[in-house]
Amino acid sequence: MKDKTIRLARNGINDLNEYTPGKPIEEVQREYGLDEIIKMASNENPFGPSPKAIEAMTKAINDVNLYPESSSLMLRQKIAGNFGIHEDMVTLANGADNILGLIAQATVNEGDEIVMGDPTFAAYDTRTRIMGGIPVKVPLKNFTYDLPAVAKKITSKTKLVFVCNPNNPTGTIVTREEVEDFMNSVPQECIVVFDEAYAEFVHPNIYPQTIKYIQDQRNVIMVRTFSKLFGLAGLRVGYAVGPKHLISMLRKVVEPFPVNRLAQSGALAAFDDHAFLNRVLTENEKGKEFLYQQFSKMKMAYCPSHTNFIFVDLGMDGQFVFEKLLEQGIIIRPGGLWNYPQFARITIGTSDQNEKLIEALNIIAG
Ligand SMILES: Cc1ncc(COP(=O)(O)O)c(C=O)c1O
């Protein structure tokens, strides 16, 4: 297959693999003949979508014969209001994934160097290579982005730096002070992308105020999503916040209607569904504490997490555990993907799901 396409494809994509998502529920149901499946593989919200979003989408469905508002104006205004900035400093797209792709399309020329942590979210590497850029990978230190080491890798060839904060798959963060020191050492012309897909789960006291750098007209883009805390992964809504000159670049490459009508109305309603959002945060913290305790009992080390997932050292082959859990209808993400074969990334579930996971893990661990 590769030989056939080698001259047809863009140079950048010949060495890429097709994306492998977390194993879908439907596939496991079919393969194992099971009814009930617990998915703890893609960091989705186990508490469902925001009820307010469901209500809003039910109303909006009557208008799907009409194209959506192209720039998601009301949603942009809502997000801009939240950060106290102008709506032209916000743009939306079909998930944060789509935003990351737009950033690469709008900025990366062949041969540009793009600096990122390792391991981190795979899209930075893929999007860079599609555009003919060169990924420059900086190993994590104590499972955390090593910002001083990242800064050292920035050269005159560096176009972008991706900082995944909290980092996927480890769930660790770089703090406000660490980011301040880092930003003081980054050249003005280099674009820093802070991927903050899990920002809402982090305690605000220690979390960097990325918006400050944007207001100071630094070349900074903050990326966020409605897929995690807001429970709308299936709708595909993500956004970028940045100074107008950078946001305008993203708008030049985005497709005409990137966020569909239902997604716009659902995200708008979810944004203010504080009862739902607070419940998810409380339950997530409870689930995290429960899993920490249980992992410790099983002598499994883990990275303390600022997200809705935990990177855990299973002390045995992650692929083996993944397959054994599948037999019991539980899907996790084995760590081989990130070259941590004994680890797994496990999404924090409902209390019932967490208990079932631990029961199953105890059986596997013997
Ligand atoms: C760090 C990070 N960035 C971006 C995304 C993509 O989010 P979305 O569902 O909005 O495309 C994810 C999803 O898992 C993520 O973990």
Side-chain angles (χ1 to χ4, degrees):
M1 189 65 151
K2 248 184 191 162
D3 290 341
K4 267 196 181 168
T5 59
I6 208 141
R7 283 185 308 140
L8 302 175
R10 288 191 90 239
N11 290 339
I13 75 165
N14 281 316
D15 295 329
L16 295 177
N17 295 318
E18 290 178 24
Y19 178 67
T20 320
K23 209 168 166 65
I25 289 179
E26 295 78 2
E27 199 174 303
V28 181
Q29 274 172 332
R30 234 181 300 124
E31 282 176 16
Y32 293 84
L34 296 166
D35 288 332
E36 198 205 332
I37 304 293
I38 299 174
K39 188 168 175 215
M40 304 174 109
S42 302
N43 309 333
E44 291 141 331
N45 189 327
F47 302 97
S50 137
K52 289 206 168 144
I54 297 176
E55 200 184 312
M57 286 188 290
T58 309
K59 282 192 194 138
I61 202 159
N62 294 313
D63 293 328
V64 293
N65 54 316
L66 303 172
Y67 284 110
E69 207 281 315
S70 165
S71 78
S72 309
L73 180 65
M74 280 163 65
L75 201 42
R76 270 167 58 215
Q77 286 172 337
K78 174 68 75 185
I79 294 163
N82 184 54
F83 290 110
I85 53 172
H86 192 276
E87 70 221 26
D88 286 349
M89 296 167 78
V90 181
T91 198
L92 284 117
N94 189 36
D97 275 330
N98 189 192
I99 293 279
L100 295 169
L102 296 175
I103 292 172
Q105 276 178 52
T107 62
V108 179
N109 284 317
E110 294 241 344
D112 282 348
E113 291 184 357
I114 313 300
V115 184
M116 61 195 74
D118 184 29
T120 191
F121 193 53
Y124 316 146
D125 173 86
T126 315
R127 293 290 157 191
T128 296
R129 286 160 65 196
I130 290 171
M131 298 310 297
I134 302 163
V136 176
K137 300 197 177 180
V138 182
L140 302 185
K141 192 173 168 186
N142 296 327
F143 296 94
T144 307
Y145 249 75
D146 183 357
L147 288 184
V150 169
K152 281 197 193 127
K153 288 288 181 186
I154 299 175
T155 69
S156 57
K157 289 191 189 147
T158 308
K159 178 62 73 75
L160 291 175
V161 178
F162 282 106
V163 180
C164 191
N165 195 31
N167 188 45
N168 181 357
T170 54
T172 53
I173 59 162
V174 281
T175 63
R176 193 176 291 185
E177 275 121 47
E178 287 165 334
V179 168
E180 183 68 15
D181 289 346
F182 173 69
M183 288 306 293
N184 285 335
S185 67
V186 173
Q188 292 288 333
E189 63 278 8
C190 175
I191 303 170
V192 184
V193 178
F194 288 97
D195 181 345
E196 301 186 348
Y198 302 91
E200 298 86 0
F201 291 98
V202 186
H203 198 288
N205 286 355
I206 47 170
Y207 199 53
Q209 287 172 306
T210 312
I211 196 70
K212 177 178 91 92
Y213 304 105
I214 293 169
Q215 283 167 326
D216 289 349
Q217 294 297 307
R218 290 294 304 265
N219 284 321
V220 164
I221 301 176
M222 170 171 81
V223 179
R224 296 214 178 177
T225 178
F226 283 87
S227 295
K228 308 299 175 183
L229 178 68
F230 298 92
L232 302 177
L235 283 187
R236 316 301 301 123
V237 192
Y239 60 95
V241 177
K244 280 185 197 174
H245 66 277
L246 292 181
I247 294 300
S248 161
M249 283 161 49
L250 305 187
R251 291 237 182 102
K252 287 181 188 172
V253 294
V254 73
E255 57 268 39
F257 303 103
V259 186
N260 71 64
R261 214 168 241 289
L262 296 186
Q264 287 190 35
S265 59
L268 192 63
F271 205 82
D272 287 330
D273 193 351
H274 299 294
F276 172 75
L277 302 177
N278 288 334
R279 182 167 77 85
V280 175
L281 286 174
T282 308
E283 290 296 325
N284 186 65
E285 281 308 304
K286 270 198 234 160
K288 198 195 289 178
E289 285 309 317
F290 171 77
L291 290 177
Y292 283 173
Q293 276 172 16
Q294 298 300 319
F295 290 151
S296 297
K297 271 193 200 161
M298 288 188 279
K299 307 259 180 300
M300 292 177 178
Y302 55 83
C303 296
S305 170
H306 294 268
T307 64
N308 64 345
F309 60 84
I310 304 174
F311 199 50
V312 55
D313 183 351
L314 302 162
M316 54 190 144
D317 183 50
Q319 187 63 27
F320 168 77
V321 176
F322 166 71
E323 281 162 23
K324 283 281 161 200
L325 285 174
L326 276 186
E327 289 169 14
Q328 301 189 54
I330 301 174
I331 318 172
I332 60 164
R333 208 83 198 256
L337 208 70
W338 302 284
N339 291 325
Y340 281 84
Q342 298 225 351
F343 279 66
R345 191 195 66 195
I346 302 181
T347 308
I348 299 166
T350 61
S351 54
D352 186 47
Q353 292 174 337
N354 295 334
E355 274 165 29
K356 287 191 172 136
L357 167 81
I358 294 299
E359 228 171 83
L361 270 182
N362 268 311
I363 295 170
I364 296 165

